Amino acid sequence: MNALRIVALLVAPLILSGCFSTPKEKTEYEKQIDAVSMPVTEAERLEQCRNFKQIADRQQVEDFLQYAHRSMMGASDYEYTESLALLRRLRAMKCPGYGWFS
């Protein structure tokens, strides 16, 4: 019983800090992706999925190269904002292979 109370005391601040954190402002790249209208028909959705998958694949290669370059230089503060924005868009469109349960 005491272990349960200790766990609750440890987890409560984590939950509360997540609830009160300020939202991050979107980057210009995220705004550009959000500006693309969501597909209406199934054909448009498949076309956009294919296009965004190609962009996401290229971005992952670029991210890997940036990570390798920064790790050799000793700097590790690279953020993957472009990749995350693309993955969020692919999940929002329910593209095959990018959803939570696809």
Side-chain angles (χ1 to χ4, degrees):
M1 191 64 158
N2 288 334
L4 184 60
R5 287 182 185 170
I6 292 172
V7 169
L9 289 174
L10 292 174
V11 173
L14 295 174
I15 293 172
L16 290 175
S17 68
C19 293
F20 294 111
S21 63
T22 58
K24 288 177 61 176
E25 188 166 328
K26 289 187 176 183
T27 63
E28 196 61 39
Y29 191 79
E30 290 171 321
K31 290 177 185 176
Q32 289 175 357
I33 289 176
D34 290 344
V36 176
S37 62
M38 290 296 276
V40 178
T41 64
E42 183 65 17
E44 288 177 357
R45 186 181 74 81
L46 293 175
E47 179 72 22
Q48 279 192 17
C49 282
R50 190 184 65 198
N51 292 336
F52 276 111
K53 280 182 184 180
Q54 289 174 348
I55 296 169
D57 290 342
R58 281 189 232 122
Q59 187 61 46
Q60 285 179 340
V61 170
E62 185 177 326
D63 288 344
F64 176 75
L65 294 174
Q66 282 288 332
Y67 176 77
H69 178 71
R70 287 185 176 272
S71 65
M72 284 191 291
M73 301 297 285
S76 62
D77 59 348
Y78 182 69
E79 293 184 16
Y80 304 99
T81 56
E82 290 88 0
S83 292
L84 294 174
L86 289 166
L87 289 175
R88 280 193 294 272
R89 179 61 183 235
L90 288 166
R91 283 189 187 128
M93 290 190 308
K94 296 184 175 132
C95 293
Y98 287 93
W100 293 107
F101 297 106
S102 60

